[in-house]
Amino acid sequence: MKQSCLAPSEIESRLKAAGVQPTAQRIAIARYVLCEADHPTAEQVKSWADANFPKMSMATVYNTLNALVDAGLLKKHAFPHLNEATYDDNITEHYHLLDEKTGRVFDLDPADVKVTTKLKGVRIKEVDVFIRGSRA
Amino acid sequence: MKQSCLAPSEIESRLKAAGVQPTAQRIAIARYVLCEADHPTAEQVKSWADANFPKMSMATVYNTLNALVDAGLLKKHAFPHLNEATYDDNITEHYHLLDEKTGRVFDLDPADVKVTTKLKGVRIKEVDVFIRGSRA
DNA sequence: ATATAGGTCTTGAATCATTCTAAACAATAA
DNA sequence: TTATTGTTTAGAATGATTCAAGACCTATAT
Ligand SMILES: [Mn+2]
Ligand SMILES: [Mn+2]
Ligand SMILES: [Zn+2]
Ligand SMILES: [Zn+2]
């Protein structure tokens, strides 16, 4: 779990501010992905919902995650080692490290990973860096 | 198409050297992906086969691509903007640029894109860089 | 040359992630 | 209240890839 866990009312404000109608399902999912989970897959969100919400369909999980991505509150990642998407509450520019020993993905601060290009005639919009390795 | 197109006999030698039995289907696919196509998907390989080979099943396309990847002759990529895999004959370290205007993927020479890290306690095995942008 | 054995190819079914459809529901406005 | 609009649901559909079973080849040994 994470350190900064927001109250449901605060989640609600965030959803409204982003133009997303704050339904019970959306508040629950948003709270989970924004302040409890770490790069979860839709399946992991569903498992969490099955254990912590009265009843929620898989379609609602996908609908809600897509809505949060569209609203700019989440970023969807397609990591090259996984065949399912993961959802990231960290929407600032950062990179990822896959620890191949554990299969876990860690965020990398752009201060620690610098990408410099000598490309001519290319307007760069976004850079994805995915490092595979193992932590000591 | 590419400049350096190998003869079927030369493809055959490459397959044998890599421990892959050189069947007609494998020679045809290998020749296409190694010296004609650019980051093709399995579907594109199948389309090419439908137009240039008497008869080939989708399973054979996948089996062959997997065999070539296992033999180290190809690299399989899961680019974040595509839901299907692409196969790369360039097995040296290099990065990729997606031109969002055209949807085309271009190879980037590592001489033009440098990644430097200050990570402590991480043994890096591989670095993927995927740049989104547009060419002038 | 023939038989045998092992690898290869094909068809179609199965699997998995994700989206779609249509109906049921909920909240809101007139 | 009734109309309107947006949301959730179950299940079907889709698309990429793999699996399974049998047919087909090819190499090698007799
Ligand atoms: Mn993927
Ligand atoms: Mn596609
Ligand atoms: Zn992240
Ligand atoms: Zn490439």
Side-chain angles (χ1 to χ4, degrees):
Chain A
M1 54 202 120
K2 287 171 195 169
Q3 61 286 40
S4 62
C5 206
L6 306 168
S9 72
E10 207 160 359
I11 295 285
E12 198 176 327
S13 312
R14 283 242 245 164
L15 292 182
K16 271 190 254 182
V20 177
Q21 216 78 3
T23 66
Q25 289 88 340
R26 288 170 179 176
I27 291 169
I29 289 181
R31 189 160 191 248
Y32 174 65
V33 297
L34 291 178
C35 51
E36 191 168 342
D38 181 60
H39 302 105
T41 64
E43 191 56 46
Q44 288 174 302
V45 174
K46 178 63 161 62
S47 295
W48 175 89
D50 287 345
N52 297 277
F53 196 88
K55 184 170 192 283
M56 196 184 300
S57 73
M58 197 68 209
T60 294
V61 171
Y62 277 107
N63 287 342
T64 299
L65 290 171
N66 288 340
L68 296 178
V69 169
D70 291 346
L73 295 171
L74 282 184
K75 194 165 180 342
K76 181 181 185 177
H77 292 296
F79 291 135
H81 69 299
L82 269 190
N83 52 347
E84 43 189 334
T86 68
Y87 297 84
D88 197 340
D89 64 291
N90 184 347
I91 55 178
T92 69
E93 185 186 54
H94 69 285
Y95 306 130
H96 293 98
L97 165 70
L98 168 67
D99 181 353
E100 291 189 321
K101 282 215 193 78
T102 64
R104 273 203 283 267
V105 172
F106 297 89
D107 278 355
L108 298 177
D109 193 302
D112 293 336
V113 178
K114 215 183 308 176
V115 179
T116 57
T117 91
K118 301 187 195 334
L119 299 174
K120 303 287 279 184
V122 174
R123 180 163 43 80
I124 293 176
K125 193 213 222 171
E126 193 181 0
V127 178
D128 293 353
V129 176
F130 185 79
I131 298 179
R132 277 168 242 254
S134 54
R135 294 178 314 153
Chain B
M1 54 199 125
K2 287 171 194 170
Q3 60 286 39
S4 63
C5 207
L6 304 169
S9 72
E10 207 159 359
I11 294 286
E12 198 178 327
S13 311
R14 283 242 244 165
L15 293 182
K16 272 191 254 183
V20 177
Q21 215 76 5
T23 67
Q25 288 88 342
R26 289 170 179 176
I27 292 170
I29 290 181
R31 189 161 191 247
Y32 175 64
V33 296
L34 290 178
C35 50
E36 190 168 342
D38 181 59
H39 302 106
T41 64
E43 191 57 45
Q44 288 174 302
V45 174
K46 178 63 161 63
S47 294
W48 174 88
D50 286 346
N52 297 276
F53 196 88
K55 183 169 193 283
M56 195 183 300
S57 72
M58 197 69 208
T60 294
V61 170
Y62 276 106
N63 287 341
T64 298
L65 290 171
N66 289 340
L68 296 178
V69 169
D70 291 346
L73 295 171
L74 284 184
K75 197 167 180 337
K76 181 181 185 177
H77 292 296
F79 291 135
H81 69 299
L82 270 190
N83 54 343
E84 41 188 337
T86 68
Y87 297 84
D88 197 340
D89 64 292
N90 185 347
I91 54 179
T92 69
E93 186 186 52
H94 69 284
Y95 306 130
H96 292 98
L97 166 69
L98 169 68
D99 181 353
E100 292 189 320
K101 282 215 191 76
T102 64
R104 273 203 284 268
V105 172
F106 296 89
D107 278 354
L108 298 177
D109 193 303
D112 293 336
V113 179
K114 221 178 305 179
V115 179
T116 59
T117 90
K118 300 188 197 332
L119 300 174
K120 303 288 278 182
V122 174
R123 180 163 44 81
I124 294 176
K125 193 211 221 175
E126 194 181 359
V127 179
D128 293 352
V129 176
F130 186 79
I131 299 180
R132 276 168 242 256
S134 54
R135 294 176 318 151

